[in-house]
Structures are given as C-alpha cells and as structure tokens.
Amino acid sequence: MRFRQVHLDFHTSGLIPNIGRKFSKSQFQDMLKLGHVDSITIFAKCHHGYAYFPSETIPKHPGLSFDLLAAQIEAAHEIDVKVPIYLSVGLDEHLAWEHPEWLMRNEEDKTNWVDSFMKPGYHQFCLNTPYLDLMLEQIQEVVRKYDGDGIFLDIVGERKCYCPTCLKQMLNDGMDPKDPEQVKANGQRIYAHYTKRVREAIDAIKPGHPVFHNEGHVHQGRFELARMNSHLELESLPTGGWGYDHFPLSARYVQQSGMDFLGMTGKFHTFWGEFGGYKHPNALRYEAALSIANGARCSIGDQLHPEGLMDHATYSLIGKAYQEVEQKEAWCADTINHADVALFTVEAARIQQDSGSMFSGRIDMGAVRMLLEGNILFNVVDLESDWSEYKVVILPDSILMTEPILKKVESYLAGGGKLLASGRSGLNPEGTKSMLPLGIEDLGENPYKPDYFYPDFEMSNCEPASYIMYSQGRRIALMDGIELGRREDPYFNREAFQFSSHQHTPTSGEYGGPGMVETKQSIYIAWNVFEDYATKGSLVLKEMVLYALARLLGEKQSIVTSLPAQGVTTIQHQAGEKRYVHHLLYASPVKRGERVEIIEDIVPLYEVKVEVRLPVEVAHVYLAPQMEAVPFEKTAHGISYIVPKLDCHQMVVLDYKN
C-alpha cells in the first residue's frame, strides 16, 4: 500500500450535464503532484447507479460522452500513481426505481437510508436478492476491462433485513423473523456469502487482486470480518461524526492483525458530499501524522466536481500534509506498536453501550481518551488477542464475565498479569456476584446517585476533597488488599419533595464503604469512571485511573513524558531496521458550531522531557526526518532525552545494538 492516498468521491446526479467536460490529463496530473499523492481511488460506479465508463452492466451517466475512468487511470499510471477502483454496492438509486423489491426493509416495511421515495436520498439494497448477481457482473466487468490497483466496494456490512426475500429464506430455514437475534444471524450469513462470492468473482479474472469492503468501521472482537478484506481502510472523519478519539481507538486494535491499513479522513469541513468545504491545513497535517504515528498509511477524502476539473485549493491543502508524510515514510513502514496496557473494550466484549459518536460507545471513548491524555502506551484487544505480553489489562465499566471472557481473564492472571477494573466489570452475566479476585464483595448498585469519592492518595492536580461521582456506583465490601479511597453518600437523592440547591445533594461525610481497592494483581474502582469521563470529563476520574495504572505498572511503564494532555504519543518498533520510533503529536481540537471539532492553531511545544524504558540497549537517538542527533542520558531503568521542539508532529528515532 502507498502512504499518500486520496479517495475521490464522484456521486453525481443524472440531472447534471457535461460530466467530465473539463477533465484534462495534465491538470489531473498537476493536482496529484501538487498534493504529493501516490494513490487515488476513482469511480467506476456511484451511489446514483451510474457508470463513468462505457459499461455493459451499468447504465452510463447520461451526461458523460467519453471513458472518464480510462482517462483517469492512464493519467495516474503515467506518473506512477496507483488507482484503486470504486463501485457502490449498497446504494444504486437508478436501479432502486426499477427494482424496489430488491431494497432492504425494516420491521415496518420501510426502506433505508431514507425511508420513502418522497425524501431526497438513497435507498439501500439487500444482498440476499438477485441484486447480488448483478453486482458481481459489474465488479467482474471492471476487473476485466481495466488495469486498476484494487477494488473498493462501499456501503456494505452485516445488516438486519426484513425484505420478502429475507423473510422467506428465514422461514424456509426454520428461523424466526420475530427474533432479532435470528434476524441478526441471517444478516451475518448473508454478508459472509456476499464477501465469498466477490472474492471468487475477482479471483476468476485476477487472482489475489486487492479488495476492500467498506463498513465505515472495523468492528472490535470481529477479526473474521476484517479478514474478508485484503487490507483495511479505517474511515474516520473527525469532523464528520467519528470524532478525534475514534481513529486511535480503531488503529490500536487493527495494527495487531498484521494487515496493511490506512486511516481515512477528509479534506471537508464536515462530511462526505460537501462542496466548497475546507479544513485548515493544520488539521490535515495533524490527522495525517496521527495515521502514521499509529502504524497506518493515509487517505484523504475529496469529491470531484461534475465537470471533472480537480480543485486547486484542495490539492494545495492536501499537499501541505502529504509533503510532510512523504519525508517521514522510511520510519513508518512495517512497524509494530509497543504497548504496556491492553484495553479490552466493551465493543470487543460484544456488550451494548450508549453511543458517544458515530461508531464508538461512551465507555470505550472515555477509556481511550484517558489513555491518550495520560501518555499510556496501549493496544485494544479482544478474545483472540494474546494478552500475555501486556503488563496491565483494563476491563472498563461493563465487562461481565461470560464463560469465554472469564476463562481468558483467569488465564491472564495465572500468568502474572494485572487488572484495572471498574463498575460492573468482573461480575457474573447476571450482575449479582464478583467472579474475579479483586479484593471485594459486590453488594449491588449504590442506591445513591450521584455520590462521592474521597481518595486516600495524593493526586497530581487535585487537592484532598470529596469528589462528585456522576455515574452509577457499586456498593462493595473489602475482602482483601488495601482501600485506596472511600465512598461518601449524599444526605439523600434529589427528588420532587426532597432536594437541595441547584443540582445534587452534598456529601454527608459519612463512610459509605470502599470506593477503590488494590490487591497484588488488581485495582478496582467502584464507579463507571470511563463512561463518566466521556460524558462529564471530570478531572478526578482521569487522576484516579492514571494513579491506578502508575501503581500497577510501576517501573515497567515504558514512557514518562511531560507532553501535555492534548498530546498523543506512541512508540512504533521497526524490528527490521533495529530501531524504535517515538512519535509525539500536539494539537488542541476546539468545538465550533454544533458538535464539530476543529483544529486550527497549532502551538509549538519546547523542551518536552522524555524517559523511555525499552528492552534494548539504545545506541543513538536522533530526530526524523531532520536527522539531527539528540543527546541522551542513561537512567536507572532506561534513557532520558529532551525533544527541543514539537510542531504538530515529531519523530524521535532510537537505534539499538542488539
């Protein structure tokens, strides 16, 4: 895979004339050069259901008079730019009017994405209908006719469908359409059948030709879905609903698969389909750097104007990010993330959680935000992952001990691992009994909400006090270990005929049992602290978790740095080059409008202190790509150095001897 890709959307209504009229090979090439682009995904078929080449299986766009697809491929290949080819699978609005019986339906017999033909928007097809055979013919036509560098198939995934075809199949197979779990299972087998048929169809013409099925998210705990692709593209537009926490959360899971992957953001101010919207150059600089710091290649979404002229402003903008990536690629290929901590997400445990963004639940979002702000080196794991390499595993808020999860945790503890658990994590599936040696007896939910936590330890940025805990707490009794802080209940819950002040009742100051307990192999926190952090962001929550991790990791923590909370740090191992690459990033997203996170000003940081503790003897330290030596000193557990300046993104390379 190339490092600097553009995903060139071209969803164009049949009502628009003069398609590609202003396309120019030289102008297309000039813009790719201006943008430092080395791969560009171009369109064979769009959501409107039109082809951009003379097709035997897809109606050609009525406003197109030449083979735009061939012209783009020729122009790109001439300057050594790769061209994956896009086909819309889930949406085909032209065909939706001809075969509405092939569309997906919900329980109320309504379509999606939009639920009627009286609203502007697309309608999604069911891949359990004859539409699949037609789609396979379309894919094979493109693969046979064009020398593309891969196939990108969009708007697919496991779906719950109640169309007549699916209902008949379920009934014939003895399944109950009234059971949501059986409908879900039917959707899973439909999707697996689709990906198998696509692979067979492509291999019949070009064996091993790359293919990616885009769901908009790689599901944690479902690596079998990821393996249906030849590589992965992590769609994650921070301003488009995913937020800035989604990509690190997803990348820290995906990189362990060993599959090539890229991070897909967009040049848009908001979301796909936006014409005339542009990010600040610093936003794209940061988002591209975030990709390579997490072991990914980069992709930036654009949308071609119907007349085919590439937008100069867009490629000037993209070029500001990609010229930096181009200089850094040598230190970013074939890397493995170095991690101390494993986060077993609620998504990987397949437990329902409230949504915090387009694809991430609040508990997982709160956890990844704390880890990023605390400069903790982490991976996201599932039950397939090898947990033995991690010093600490986090079970956030809602990880109930089903049989496979309990077996995995017990095996990890038997090997000497340590746990950080919170809230309901560690309870049996019924939520009535603690199943793990966390030093506690669970007594059920605390009837007081909110309540208070008084720590028995010093926190870096918090004075001794009773701190409000907004999330649901658990009453616990100390059975073993050390109490690190106590719970205090309010005088009473806030109700219609008993309330005090504007919000909640103050603490009564009375002891309400332990709130945080430590044993030799665990620390347990008796609240849903990660969900609370995602929704309220209270400082004490992060201080509690980071204190717990510091105690559990001890001197085994691989990095200690003065990088502030809005910084991001990773250490990527390039074993083939015998070096570790320490990435430091810094930017401060701000909220503008309604739920839009913006990066504009990037303030440089100076004299960032770092101590790293790695299982190697470091021989040389230098800045990349500047190739400037960095003085370093040996410490009791590793080495220390100072990064003189951090302007958005800086790599520090640590060459080692053995």
Side-chain angles (χ1 to χ4, degrees), residues 333-616:
D334 302 320
T335 60
I336 297 172
N337 187 55
H338 181 77
D340 295 330
V341 172
L343 173 64
F344 182 50
T345 59
V346 177
E347 181 183 353
R350 305 188 189 184
I351 296 170
Q352 187 68 35
Q353 61 182 317
D354 290 338
S355 176
S357 69
M358 186 174 290
F359 288 107
S360 300
R362 287 177 178 159
I363 296 171
D364 295 342
M365 282 182 63
V368 74
R369 175 47 41 199
M370 283 193 195
L371 294 171
L372 291 172
E373 292 179 358
N375 300 314
I376 304 296
L377 303 181
F378 72 99
N379 276 332
V380 171
V381 297
D382 62 13
L383 293 178
E384 283 191 44
S385 307
D386 179 5
W387 292 13
S388 63
E389 60 186 279
Y390 300 104
K391 301 157 191 173
V392 177
V393 169
I394 299 175
L395 306 177
D397 292 0
S398 292
I399 309 298
L400 301 177
M401 294 296 104
T402 61
E403 184 177 351
I405 294 176
L406 180 60
K407 183 178 179 181
K408 188 79 171 182
V409 175
E410 288 178 337
S411 175
Y412 172 71
L413 289 173
K418 296 183 178 182
L419 294 177
L420 171 59
S422 61
R424 299 171 70 227
S425 293
L427 298 180
N428 60 7
E430 295 75 29
T432 59
K433 180 182 179 182
S434 180
M435 305 296 290
L436 297 178
L438 300 174
I440 65 161
E441 178 186 0
D442 184 85
L443 304 177
E445 288 187 352
N446 187 24
Y448 293 99
K449 182 186 176 186
D451 53 7
Y452 295 83
F453 174 66
Y454 198 104
D456 288 343
F457 54 87
E458 292 185 6
M459 295 185 286
S460 301
N461 301 293
C462 297
E463 295 293 328
S466 298
Y467 287 93
I468 186 73
M469 296 284 112
Y470 290 101
S471 65
Q472 180 63 59
R474 311 278 315 168
R475 281 198 175 278
I476 58 174
L478 183 67
M479 303 298 290
D480 184 25
I482 304 169
E483 182 176 317
L484 297 177
R486 68 179 183 268
R487 175 198 312 284
E488 294 177 357
D489 291 326
Y491 289 99
F492 45 77
N493 285 330
R494 186 179 180 89
E495 298 175 0
F497 304 111
Q498 56 177 29
F499 66 91
S500 179
S501 190
H502 295 291
Q503 292 193 58
H504 38 264
T505 313
T507 177
S508 65
E510 295 183 4
Y511 180 72
M516 190 169 174
V517 173
E518 180 181 27
T519 71
K520 290 182 179 180
Q521 283 187 269
S522 70
I523 292 180
Y524 172 76
I525 302 172
W527 289 272
N528 293 342
V529 288
F530 297 104
E531 182 179 27
D532 202 354
Y533 197 67
T535 56
K536 294 291 195 297
S538 179
L539 177 60
V540 68
L541 303 168
K542 180 170 65 174
E543 293 281 337
M544 294 165 70
V545 169
L546 295 183
Y547 175 80
L549 288 173
R551 287 186 70 90
L552 292 168
L553 288 169
E555 295 173 355
K556 295 181 179 180
Q557 187 166 343
S558 293
I559 189 166
V560 178
T561 174
S562 64
L563 190 66
Q566 288 303 313
V568 172
T569 193
T570 67
I571 295 179
Q572 297 287 331
H573 186 200
Q574 275 190 310
E577 304 294 335
K578 292 188 176 180
R579 65 192 180 202
Y580 286 86
V581 182
H582 176 206
H583 294 262
L584 301 94
L585 297 92
Y586 182 76
S588 295
V590 297
K591 293 286 182 69
R592 290 209 185 138
E594 296 181 358
R595 299 182 65 188
V596 178
E597 289 185 294
I598 299 296
I599 289 177
E600 187 169 307
D601 299 323
I602 291 183
V603 179
L605 300 181
Y606 297 90
E607 307 293 309
V608 180
K609 298 177 182 179
V610 179
E611 180 181 1
V612 294
R613 305 156 182 173
L614 298 170
V616 294

Side-chain angles (χ1 to χ4, degrees), residues 107 158-162 170 174-190 222 350-352:
E107 291 176 275
E158 296 178 342
R159 309 286 196 244
K160 289 183 178 180
C161 182
Y162 295 84
M170 291 186 69
M175 301 177 75
D176 182 4
K178 297 188 294 295
D179 182 350
E181 288 303 312
Q182 294 191 48
V183 176
K184 179 180 177 181
N186 193 51
Q188 290 173 342
R189 69 176 182 173
I190 289 169
R222 300 292 308 280
R350 305 188 189 184
I351 296 170
Q352 187 68 35

Side-chain angles (χ1 to χ4, degrees), residues 259-290:
M259 299 176 70
D260 286 337
F261 73 107
L262 55 80
M264 180 189 291
T265 184
K267 70 96 179 181
F268 316 109
H269 173 66
T270 57
F271 189 67
W272 296 105
E274 178 182 70
F275 289 100
Y278 303 87
K279 280 185 173 136
H280 193 283
N282 282 339
L284 278 188
R285 288 179 61 215
Y286 177 81
E287 290 159 20
L290 190 64

Side-chain angles (χ1 to χ4, degrees), residues 289 292 324-332 624-625 649-651:
I292 60 177
E324 295 185 17
V325 173
E326 188 173 14
Q327 297 169 2
K328 300 172 181 177
E329 291 174 8
W331 294 273
C332 301
H649 176 227
Q650 181 61 61
M651 297 185 296

Side-chain angles (χ1 to χ4, degrees), residues 174-225:
M175 301 177 75
D176 182 4
K178 297 188 294 295
D179 182 350
E181 288 303 312
Q182 294 191 48
V183 176
K184 179 180 177 181
N186 193 51
Q188 290 173 342
R189 69 176 182 173
I190 289 169
Y191 183 63
H193 175 72
Y194 149 77
T195 59
K196 180 176 180 290
R197 291 282 306 279
V198 168
R199 185 71 267 172
E200 292 170 348
I202 292 174
D203 286 348
I205 302 169
K206 294 180 180 177
H209 195 58
V211 62
F212 174 66
H213 307 273
N214 185 41
E215 295 189 59
H217 177 67
V218 176
H219 298 281
Q220 294 156 28
R222 300 292 308 280
F223 259 136
E224 76 276 12
L225 294 177

